[in-house]
Amino acid sequence: MIKKLFLILFFFLVGFRSIAGGGLLDIVVNIDIKNQTVKSILITIEEKTAVSFTYSPDMIDVQKVVSLSIQNKTIRQGLQMIFGDGVRFKEVGNHIILLKNETKEDIKALLKEDLDYIFIGVITDKSTGKPIKEASIYEIEDRNATLSDDLGFYSLTVPATHEVVSLYIKKKGYREKVIVLKGDGKEKLLNDIALDPIMADVSLMTGKSVSRVPQNINDRAISGQLVSDETYLHGENLDEIDETRWAQVSLVPSVSIGSNLSTNALINNHFSLNVLGGYSKGVKGVEIGGLFNLNKENVTGLQIGGIANLVGGDVTGFQVGGLANLLQGNATGAQIAGISTIMKRDLKGLQLAGVSAIVRGGFEGAQISGVSNITWKSSRGAQISGVFNMVKDSLYGGQISGVSNFSNGGVNFLQIAGVSNFAHKNYGLQIASIQNFTRENNGLQIGLFNSSIRGKGVAIGLFNFVKEGYHKTEISANEIFPINVIFKTGTQRLYNTYNFGARFGNKRAYAMGLGFGSYFNLTKNEKLKLSLDLSGQLVFENDFKAVEFAQLYKVSTTIDYQLAKWVTVFAGPSFNLNMQQFADVDGAYSTDISFMPIADNSYSWGRSIYWIGGQVGFRF
């Protein structure tokens, strides 16, 4: 089992290492220069790309004249052509730092001395001369960092593993500065540094209403003291630094205990083990946290947290959290948690949650939740919930819920619920045991009650209502009942009918029932139509003194002519079936209605009578 787990982690590390993007040194350039100084070549590369070279002229000979042709080669290859093995290159932010390489003997000598470099100095504002507090001083070689205090003073101790070292100094709102230093066996290196403020263009602005600015996940987590102030400030000041390490181990980020110390907001890790919790810039492989994992930017790979995973960017891969997965960007892959939430943007993949799966951007794939799924934008795929689903934009896949589905503002192709469905536009299928509603129905609704505002779709249920649809009342007479009142509601394609009939005199009888029908235009001006109705009614002939009735089934077709906008006359034949079941001891049926039968059959369960009839009336 341990061997299998090791192999899985290994393949994640190798796989996601291979897809990591290149840096400044991997930018491809084309240069053809003859008899120019190295300094001129570096300036030409700067002009052709977005990089800036930093070096010490005392340590690197940039006045040497060379001829060079670089065609479709990276900056790294070009620099190696210029300097050979005599110079090493380091990337930080937008800078490529050129550092003189020491020999192996020089490095061994430094290690034997067990010497530490102590960088000290004061950080000031170049325009005012005032000290700058909380500026980040970052040692590039071994990725150590510190902050300046309230007086601008800083002190950074690093092991002397190289003779030449470099510092990257940055404060949010100021331009960065890179310096290259040579130790020369000195223990303390004094450097006062003045930073240029970034002056924004000032222009007259019109007044605007105050609006609430949403706080991202990382800010909310940090404000809750999940990470130390020093770690947070380094992340703000040195946001452009994007370092990658193979592995790190962290105990808890709030006190900066771990292998990355306070620089973990700058580091992407291929493997990250957080004993209690951890904070890093991102993951490009595997991250495991005993309680939580907190990432400033993106996660690519596998992330497992005992309680929660919080990501400020995108997730590509798998997230497993005991309670929640929270992210600010897009998710492509799978999220599994007791409560799973995406705060913004899209989900493309699968969410499984014991309580609720929420997406506030978009969703393509499948959401499966024991209680509720909520998507506040587009949806493609399937939502399956034990209780409730909601999409507040477009649903292009399906919603299946034990209780209710809700889709507002978009298109629905499938909704299946135990109780009710709501959709903005239905172009597919709505099925609910109780109620379906859509603003525009161009598909099929199946439920006890179906309603919509408009549309040309079909609804099948006990009661169907379309606000801007077909609503008519008929007064008619037929061969059995001289008075019939029929209410029709629905659409031209399919409407429901609610039928009431009465016959007075010595042989009183009453009928009530339901049906459905459709009508077709026979002329272009729509004055002449053909209606086709099917209905079923219960017939009583005993003034409701006993629960004894006959069943009357009727197929009717009529030719309709529109006399005026609100008045139509109609007439046509009908085919009738009367099924009688209630009989006394002498075999006489309590409800016996028919008209010139064409067939009269008796069975063990009762009697059936068939005849041809007709109706005539008007509709308004």
Side-chain angles (χ1 to χ4, degrees), residues 268-269 280-287 295 298-300 302-303:
N268 295 286
N269 302 292
S280 63
K281 187 163 191 174
V283 174
K284 298 178 181 179
V286 178
E287 184 171 52
N295 299 98
N298 303 324
V299 171
T300 303
L302 172 64
Q303 194 177 45

Side-chain angles (χ1 to χ4, degrees), residues 96-170:
I96 295 177
I97 304 169
L98 308 179
L99 301 169
K100 183 179 179 181
N101 254 339
E102 302 95 344
T103 64
K104 292 182 180 179
E105 290 73 19
D106 292 336
I107 295 175
K108 287 181 180 179
L110 281 173
L111 294 176
K112 282 183 179 180
E113 292 180 13
D114 195 22
L115 179 69
D116 287 337
Y117 292 139
I118 304 175
F119 300 101
I120 58 174
V122 176
I123 310 295
T124 58
D125 186 312
K126 191 174 183 178
S127 62
T128 65
K130 294 182 179 180
I132 299 175
K133 70 174 183 177
E134 296 178 346
S136 293
I137 299 89
Y138 180 65
E139 191 275 312
I140 298 167
E141 198 76 45
D142 294 312
R143 300 168 180 149
N144 297 297
T146 190
L147 292 172
S148 58
D149 61 17
D150 292 347
L151 299 177
F153 176 78
Y154 73 91
S155 176
L156 177 63
T157 302
V158 298
T161 56
H162 292 278
E163 183 182 3
V164 181
V165 293
S166 55
L167 296 181
Y168 185 84
I169 301 94
K170 180 74 181 295

Side-chain angles (χ1 to χ4, degrees), residues 344-376:
K344 285 185 178 179
R345 301 189 188 175
D346 301 332
L347 165 69
K348 297 179 181 179
L350 172 68
Q351 263 190 332
L352 297 173
V355 176
S356 179
I358 302 172
V359 178
R360 280 193 61 188
F363 150 66
E364 296 182 15
Q367 282 185 313
I368 302 172
S369 178
V371 176
S372 177
N373 298 312
I374 299 175
T375 301
W376 288 6

Side-chain angles (χ1 to χ4, degrees), residues 133-407:
K133 70 174 183 177
E134 296 178 346
S136 293
I137 299 89
Y138 180 65
E139 191 275 312
I140 298 167
E141 198 76 45
D142 294 312
R143 300 168 180 149
N144 297 297
T146 190
L147 292 172
S148 58
D149 61 17
D150 292 347
L151 299 177
F153 176 78
Y154 73 91
S155 176
L156 177 63
T157 302
V158 298
T161 56
H162 292 278
E163 183 182 3
V164 181
V165 293
S166 55
L167 296 181
Y168 185 84
I169 301 94
K170 180 74 181 295
K171 166 71 176 177
K172 192 172 184 179
Y174 290 83
R175 300 190 187 281
E176 74 278 6
K177 194 161 189 177
V178 182
I179 59 174
V180 179
L181 303 170
K182 188 173 181 181
D184 290 332
K186 297 178 183 178
E187 183 178 354
K188 290 188 177 181
L189 302 173
L190 176 62
N191 278 277
D192 293 336
I193 301 160
L195 298 181
D196 289 316
I198 299 174
M199 301 299 293
D201 294 334
V202 180
S203 58
L204 185 62
M205 299 178 64
T206 58
K208 294 183 178 180
S209 60
V210 177
S211 60
R212 181 180 178 183
V213 178
Q215 189 181 30
N216 64 38
I217 290 175
N218 283 279
D219 287 344
R220 276 176 280 172
I222 290 166
S223 65
Q225 298 302 310
L226 286 180
V227 302
S228 66
D229 292 338
E230 184 178 0
T231 298
Y232 170 71
L233 290 169
H234 285 322
E236 289 289 293
N237 294 334
L238 307 174
D239 183 63
E240 67 276 15
I241 294 179
D242 192 16
E243 298 279 0
T244 299
R245 284 186 175 178
W246 275 101
Q248 76 89 29
V249 178
S250 172
L251 177 63
V252 58
S254 60
V255 291
S256 297
I257 298 177
S259 57
N260 287 339
L261 299 176
S262 62
T263 63
N264 44 18
L266 318 177
I267 308 298
N268 295 286
N269 302 292
H270 291 303
F271 177 74
S272 180
L273 176 61
N274 303 312
V275 179
L276 296 178
Y279 177 55
S280 63
K281 187 163 191 174
V283 174
K284 298 178 181 179
V286 178
E287 184 171 52
I288 300 173
L291 296 179
F292 67 90
N293 299 305
L294 177 61
N295 299 98
K296 183 181 180 183
E297 294 184 0
N298 303 324
V299 171
T300 303
L302 172 64
Q303 194 177 45
I304 302 174
I307 293 180
N309 298 305
L310 295 89
V311 180
D314 300 336
V315 172
T316 303
F318 301 90
Q319 276 188 311
V320 181
L323 179 62
N325 294 312
L326 301 149
L327 65 127
Q328 193 79 9
N330 301 319
T332 302
Q335 285 189 314
I336 302 172
I339 299 174
S340 189
T341 304
I342 295 180
M343 299 306 295
K344 285 185 178 179
R345 301 189 188 175
D346 301 332
L347 165 69
K348 297 179 181 179
L350 172 68
Q351 263 190 332
L352 297 173
V355 176
S356 179
I358 302 172
V359 178
R360 280 193 61 188
F363 150 66
E364 296 182 15
Q367 282 185 313
I368 302 172
S369 178
V371 176
S372 177
N373 298 312
I374 299 175
T375 301
W376 288 6
K377 199 181 176 184
S378 298
S379 172
R380 296 175 184 266
Q383 282 186 314
I384 301 172
S385 178
V387 176
F388 178 76
N389 294 313
M390 182 184 81
V391 175
K392 198 178 179 182
D393 193 75
S394 299
L395 175 66
Y396 290 94
Q399 285 184 314
I400 301 173
S401 176
V403 175
S404 179
N405 296 311
F406 177 86
S407 176

